[in-house]
């Protein structure tokens, strides 16, 4: 059942397995047709079930990307395999009123891998991700070394399953206290002015939500730690 976290995650695993076996979906309709074969009914566009199917596809892509990174090939080969994965997945640019309001943009797998490499993330790295979504930016990390937050409750349910063993919270990134002394901070925060003014320090404030979340998250870094912010404005 796509309308339950358990059912949606099971569909996501099937999508992941198919992608890792070389499946290609030229468009979202083709991917939904694949899911029809799993759930036994047509996924009609514009329905709540279609929204959940699209989310399951995205989670499946995250899981497939993680499996590719876990093969531990050279960075060049890993990147090329992630590009191939990206080329075979359907476009996931359908927005809902909720995702628009929360500025929820997903990071493509190849860019997520580059960002994690720039942040020096490997299986031994302790990582904080304040706006984790379905976990794409964490594909290079060991879940047991991850602390992450996600505001959206349905994505949080998937994040719990993708990042099993991680320390997770379901809250506003500006309303939580992050961990201390992590090796790396990585994020793709919502961006733009939200009308609210965020006080970062006695001398600096901003209305830009991505600036506020990123600067707040940097407090979690240890001395000489590394950070990488991906902004969807650059996609």
């Amino acid at each position: 059942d796509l309308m339950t976290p358990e059912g949606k995650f099971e569909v996501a695993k099937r999508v992941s397995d198919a992608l890792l076996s070389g499946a290609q979906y030229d468009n979202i309709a083709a991917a939904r047709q694949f899911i029809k074969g799993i759930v036994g009914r047509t996924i009609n566009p514009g329905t709540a079930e279609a929204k959940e199917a699209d989310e399951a596809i995205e989670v499946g892509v995250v899981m497939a990307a993680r499996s590719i990174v876990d093969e531990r090939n050279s960075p060049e080969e890993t990147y090329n395999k992630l590009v191939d994965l990206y080329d075979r997945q359907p476009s996931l640019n359908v927005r809902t009123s909720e995702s628009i309001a929360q500025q929820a943009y997903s990071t493509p797998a190849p860019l997520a891998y580059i960002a994690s490499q720039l942040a020096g993330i490997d299986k031994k790295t302790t990582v904080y991700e304040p706006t984790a979504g379905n976990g794409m930016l964490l594909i290079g990390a060991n879940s047991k070394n991850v602390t992450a937050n996600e505001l959206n409750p349905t994505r949080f349910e998937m994040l719990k399953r993708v990042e099993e063993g991680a320390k997770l919270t379901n809250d506003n990134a500006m309303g939580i206290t992050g961990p201390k002394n992590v090796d790396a901070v990585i994020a793709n925060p919502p961006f733009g002015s939200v009308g609210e003014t965020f006080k970062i320090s006695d001398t600096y404030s901003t209305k830009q939500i991505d600036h506020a979340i990123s600067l707040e998250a940097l407090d979690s870094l240890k001395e000489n730690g590394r950070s990488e912010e991906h902004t969807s404005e650059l996609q």
Side-chain angles (χ1 to χ4, degrees):
D1 184 353
L2 278 166
M3 304 309 291
T4 68
E6 295 80 9
K8 185 163 69 172
F9 189 63
E10 182 60 36
V11 170
K13 288 193 290 185
R14 303 276 194 94
V15 171
S16 175
D17 290 344
L19 287 168
L20 290 170
S21 296
Q24 177 167 336
Y25 304 107
D26 294 330
N27 51 53
I28 198 67
R32 289 174 183 167
Q33 187 69 17
F34 172 77
I35 292 176
K36 174 185 176 181
I38 301 172
V39 302
R41 58 186 173 276
T42 300
I43 309 298
N44 293 310
T47 63
E49 195 168 44
K51 174 190 172 186
E52 298 306 321
D54 295 357
E55 281 286 314
I57 294 164
E58 183 167 322
V59 175
V61 172
V62 172
M63 296 168 69
R66 178 184 289 275
S67 293
I68 290 170
V69 174
D70 285 348
E71 293 174 2
R72 302 197 180 190
N73 296 307
S74 69
E76 292 82 5
E77 186 173 355
T78 299
Y79 174 77
N80 288 336
K81 286 190 172 186
L82 291 172
V83 170
D84 174 65
L85 173 67
Y86 180 75
D87 287 341
R88 290 186 289 108
Q89 75 179 63
S91 174
L92 296 171
N93 58 5
V94 176
R95 313 292 314 284
T96 66
S97 58
E98 184 177 39
S99 65
I100 292 170
Q102 295 177 356
Q103 289 285 5
Y105 291 91
S106 299
T107 307
L111 289 183
Y113 179 66
I114 290 173
S116 68
Q117 289 285 291
L118 290 172
I121 295 172
D122 60 26
K123 296 300 181 182
K124 297 180 180 179
T125 309
T126 54
V127 184
Y128 177 46
E129 221 287 35
T131 56
N134 290 315
M136 183 64 87
L137 283 169
L138 299 169
I139 57 175
N142 182 334
S143 296
K144 294 181 180 179
N145 294 329
V146 166
T147 302
N149 176 70
E150 171 53 32
L151 174 63
N152 183 281
T154 58
R155 287 193 165 191
F156 178 70
E157 286 297 323
M158 294 299 99
L159 187 66
K160 287 195 299 185
R161 292 159 172 81
V162 172
E163 294 292 338
E164 187 175 0
K167 302 178 183 68
L168 303 176
T169 52
N170 175 209
D171 210 334
N172 187 315
M174 290 302 298
I176 59 174
T177 300
K180 296 300 180 185
N181 297 316
V182 298
D183 298 317
V185 169
I186 192 166
N188 177 7
F191 63 88
S193 176
V194 294
E196 181 179 354
T197 298
F198 300 96
K199 184 177 180 181
I200 306 301
S201 67
D202 290 338
T203 58
Y204 181 72
S205 61
T206 180
K207 290 187 177 182
Q208 301 297 314
I209 185 67
D210 51 325
H211 296 181
I213 290 174
S214 298
L215 289 168
E216 186 79 13
L218 288 176
D219 283 342
S220 294
L221 273 181
K222 69 180 183 182
E223 287 290 328
N224 300 317
R226 297 175 66 91
S227 67
E228 185 68 23
E229 177 191 356
H230 167 72
T231 60
S232 296
E233 292 168 296
L234 301 180
Q235 286 186 22

